[in-house]
């Protein structure tokens, strides 16, 4: 008795997405590993850099906190804090000043009301609900052979892609502000510039990779839904 073998050609999209994401992660980790070993010219720690940038932009109310993890740095608009991982917080490397300045870029965006940052924050609750509900609706639609229900779930999941697309200008703009502040406040000199640029670019590419990965995942899901409809006809 033989067993048939079924090959799903859409899996190639999963593989491509995985490779893109992996390359981006290797890139940012490689850049971080390289530039955390090189001291910035002014030898200011990430905490000192963040504090200087925030104070220079009238953000004395924003606290700079140390958090655990590696590259877990983030700005929290809810409690107005710039949170830096231990290595970034305490070290005076090029990686430290680049990451610290980038997170301060988000704090500045928050202060000036940068439209894409506000949009991203406003859609987070909707995206969380739609992402959880979307997969369930797609599975139910496929299980019961309902094309319309499966497509409704697919549309709900598209909010994830919308969120990631909105995130791109937020991250690139924060990096742009970071480089501007580092130069304006004389924190980084010309010798540091290329390292800062490389570090920020590598980090930004992880967000670009996430968009491509999600696009491929959504394309695969759409093909599966369309194929199920053709099989039902």
């Amino acid at each position: 008795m033989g067993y048939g073998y079924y090959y799903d050609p859409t899996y190639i999209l999963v593989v491509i997405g995985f490779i893109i994401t992996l390359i981006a992660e290797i890139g940012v980790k490689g850049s971080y590993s390289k530039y955390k070993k090189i001291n910035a010219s002014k030898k200011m720690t990430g905490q000192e850099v963040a504090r200087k940038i925030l104070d220079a932009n009238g953000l004395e109310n924003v606290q700079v906190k140390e958090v655990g993890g590696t590259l877990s740095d983030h700005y929290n608009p809810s409690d107005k804090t710039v949170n830096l991982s231990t290595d970034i917080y305490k070290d005076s490397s090029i990686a430290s000043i680049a990451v610290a300045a980038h997170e301060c870029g988000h704090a500045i965006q928050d202060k000036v009301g940068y439209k894409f940052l506000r949009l991203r924050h406003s859609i987070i609750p909707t995206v969380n609900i739609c992402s959880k509900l979307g997969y369930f609706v797609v599975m139910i639609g496929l299980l019961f052979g309902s094309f319309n229900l499966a497509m409704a779930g697919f549309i709900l999941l598209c909010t994830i892609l919308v969120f990631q697309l909105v995130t791109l200008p937020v991250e690139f703009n924060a990096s742009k502000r970071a480089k501007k502040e580092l130069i304006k406040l004389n924190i980084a000199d010309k010798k540091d510039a290329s390292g800062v640029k490389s570090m920020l670019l590598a980090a930004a590419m992880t967000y670009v990779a996430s968009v491509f990965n999600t696009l491929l995942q959504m394309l695969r899901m759409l093909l599966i839904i369309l194929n199920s409809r053709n099989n039902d006809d």
Side-chain angles (χ1 to χ4, degrees), residues 197-212:
K197 182 179 179 180
S198 296
M199 183 68 205
L200 293 176
L201 181 60
M205 285 302 103
T206 61
Y207 293 96
V208 175
S210 293
V211 169
F212 278 107

Side-chain angles (χ1 to χ4, degrees), residues 22 28 32 39 54 72-73 76 80 114 146 156 160 163 170 186 189 198 201 204-205 210 213 216 219 229 232-233:
L22 182 61
V28 71
Y32 175 67
N39 282 328
L54 293 171
S72 53
D73 315 270
N76 189 335
K80 308 299 181 186
Y114 183 61
S146 173
L156 288 174
I160 299 174
F163 176 79
V170 173
N186 196 31
D189 61 19
S198 296
L201 181 60
M205 285 302 103
S210 293
N213 186 38
L216 292 170
L219 176 59
R229 183 190 193 189
D232 292 337
D233 291 340

Side-chain angles (χ1 to χ4, degrees), residues 27-139:
V28 71
K29 288 180 179 179
S31 293
Y32 175 67
S33 178
K34 176 181 178 180
Y35 291 109
K36 76 174 183 178
K37 298 175 183 176
I38 304 175
N39 282 328
S41 300
K42 304 299 180 180
K43 296 184 179 179
M44 294 175 64
T45 65
Q47 185 274 335
E48 292 170 335
V49 168
R51 187 73 270 156
K52 185 169 184 176
I53 292 175
L54 293 171
D55 291 348
N57 286 274
L59 291 167
E60 294 86 356
N61 62 310
V62 176
Q63 291 184 307
V64 182
K65 295 184 176 181
E66 180 183 354
V67 295
T70 300
L71 293 178
S72 53
D73 315 270
H74 63 282
Y75 169 68
N76 189 335
S78 299
D79 60 7
K80 308 299 181 186
T81 58
V82 167
N83 301 275
L84 304 177
S85 55
T86 299
D87 285 347
I88 300 298
Y89 187 93
K90 294 182 176 180
D91 289 351
S92 57
S93 65
I94 289 178
S96 294
I97 69 171
V99 173
H102 176 86
E103 299 309 328
C104 290
H106 288 309
I108 297 171
Q109 288 175 336
D110 191 18
K111 178 189 176 183
V112 301
Y114 183 61
K115 60 182 179 181
F116 285 107
L117 182 69
R118 286 188 172 182
L119 177 59
R120 184 174 73 170
H121 290 161
S122 68
I123 66 176
I124 286 176
T126 300
V127 173
N128 287 337
I129 294 172
C130 289
S131 61
K132 293 177 182 177
L133 186 61
Y135 286 108
F136 177 75
V137 173
V138 169
M139 286 190 293

